[in-house]
Amino acid sequence: MTVEKNIGYGLKNMKMPADQIKKKVDWAINILGLEEYRYRKPKNLSGGQRQRVALGRAIVKNSKVFLMDEPLSNLDAKLRVSMRTEISKLHRQIGATTIYVTHDQVEAMTMADRIVIMKDGVIQQVGKPMELYDHPVNQFVAGFIGSPQMNFFNVTVDGGTVKFSDGNTIALSEGMQKKLNGRTGEMILGIRGEDIKLDAQNMDLNKDNAQSAVITDTEVMGNENNLYFSFGGAQAVARVSKYEISQIGDTIHFVFMPSKMHFFDRETGVNYTEL
């Protein structure tokens, strides 16, 4: 069958009037960008185009529950962004529960009301996107959500002092010591790239914990820059504004935001700061 007939097939089986079928099919074809393929058959479509036809066939039925298994995986980047917006808009219009499976954390963060993160078939955490981003319950969730990935360092906590594997140390704030509730020993420190600060104000406020490193690579993203460097026995990245420009080989001075650090158990990955 043609694209048009494929999308309307389920409605025809439901004995819906022809004029209503046409109206719904036209709407789906329009939002899915399939107008020029309306009269083509599957053998003349690419994988991504077939994916959109299947999505169209589902959304015209106004079901109470939609199950979507990576529906955008075969689409090009521009169409994927557009379709994320359309599916979210469709969800609001219809009000149907949508269970959406994806390995793309950008899709999860931008589209979901709630995210269920799974590992090996076991639910790790359920919550709103920013809850998972700011308060991950374990290292797996912390590493999965966010781009670039959260930085992780092997450290030893001794009272109010954190010692990195390369010998560098920082002092813990009273608030963070309270979160750790007296825990000491070997742990994994996690901190997001945007919480590694290079600006003068934060450097002055946290000058006692100032560190330095040499830039090994940079990513100019347009709206921001990612600065890569070796520190604490690991490769780290700082996510800074587009106005904070550094070159490979430059020495940077930075601080970790005291309240934005996470401490994970090395064996279980449990986030001690979220207990």
Side-chain angles (χ1 to χ4, degrees):
M1 292 185 289
T2 63
V3 165
E4 183 180 58
K5 289 182 178 179
N6 255 293
I7 293 176
Y9 184 71
L11 302 179
K12 184 178 178 181
N13 283 345
M14 295 164 65
K15 310 299 183 186
M16 184 177 286
D19 60 331
Q20 290 187 35
I21 292 177
K22 185 178 186 311
K23 186 177 180 180
K24 283 182 169 289
V25 170
D26 287 349
W27 167 76
I29 283 177
N30 180 54
I31 70 165
L32 293 168
L34 291 168
E35 185 58 50
E36 64 180 292
Y37 310 109
R38 180 187 286 264
Y39 303 112
R40 293 192 190 182
K41 295 184 178 179
K43 65 180 180 182
N44 297 318
L45 299 175
S46 68
Q49 289 158 359
R50 292 180 191 179
Q51 191 92 320
R52 279 184 275 164
V53 173
L55 190 57
R57 193 166 54 210
I59 64 178
V60 294
K61 295 178 69 175
N62 290 355
S63 299
K64 292 184 179 180
V65 179
F66 289 112
L67 307 178
M68 299 186 182
D69 188 357
E70 301 202 65
L72 310 184
S73 58
N74 290 329
L75 307 185
D76 61 61
K78 183 179 179 181
L79 188 56
R80 197 179 302 131
V81 172
S82 173
M83 283 304 302
R84 284 208 307 260
T85 303
E86 291 299 340
I87 291 176
S88 296
K89 188 189 299 180
L90 181 74
H91 174 69
R92 290 193 298 271
Q93 287 174 350
I94 298 175
T97 297
T98 303
I99 299 174
Y100 188 108
V101 181
T102 180
H103 288 86
D104 187 332
Q105 54 107 357
V106 174
E107 285 182 15
M109 289 292 288
T110 56
M111 297 175 70
D113 298 307
R114 290 204 307 162
I115 299 175
V116 179
I117 294 188
M118 301 184 72
K119 179 186 179 185
D120 298 330
V122 178
I123 292 175
Q124 303 294 304
Q125 187 171 359
V126 181
K128 295 179 180 179
M130 289 310 298
E131 287 177 0
L132 271 59
Y133 188 84
D134 290 330
H135 305 288
V137 297
N138 58 37
Q139 188 181 356
F140 177 79
V141 174
F144 181 79
I145 294 289
S147 180
Q149 188 187 59
M150 180 182 282
N151 298 293
F152 295 113
F153 306 92
N154 287 326
V155 299
T156 302
V157 177
D158 184 8
T161 302
V162 177
K163 184 175 182 180
F164 293 84
S165 60
D166 62 0
N168 285 300
T169 62
I170 59 174
L172 289 175
S173 66
E174 289 185 12
M176 189 55 66
Q177 290 184 58
K178 189 174 180 180
K179 283 186 176 182
L180 285 174
N181 197 26
R183 293 183 179 86
T184 59
E186 295 185 345
M187 301 181 196
I188 294 173
L189 185 159
I191 189 164
R192 297 204 180 277
E194 64 266 30
D195 296 323
I196 299 177
K197 300 294 187 181
L198 284 67
D199 62 285
Q201 182 178 4
N202 278 298
M203 288 295 295
D204 185 56
L205 287 172
N206 301 285
K207 57 188 175 184
D208 292 340
N209 282 331
Q211 306 291 337
S212 62
V214 177
I215 297 294
T216 58
D217 199 6
T218 62
E219 288 179 342
V220 178
M221 310 296 287
N223 62 328
E224 63 188 16
N225 296 323
N226 293 330
L227 308 180
Y228 291 86
F229 56 93
S230 293
F231 176 78
Q235 183 73 11
V237 57
R239 192 175 177 185
V240 300
S241 78
K242 64 181 180 181
Y243 304 108
E244 297 178 81
I245 301 172
S246 296
Q247 306 295 326
I248 295 174
D250 288 352
T251 297
I252 57 169
H253 301 279
F254 59 90
V255 293
F256 289 0
M257 291 295 285
S259 63
K260 297 295 185 178
M261 293 184 286
H262 302 267
F263 288 88
F264 304 97
D265 183 280
R266 283 201 191 180
E267 297 297 324
T268 66
V270 168
N271 189 351
Y272 289 139
T273 56
E274 296 298 328
L275 293 177

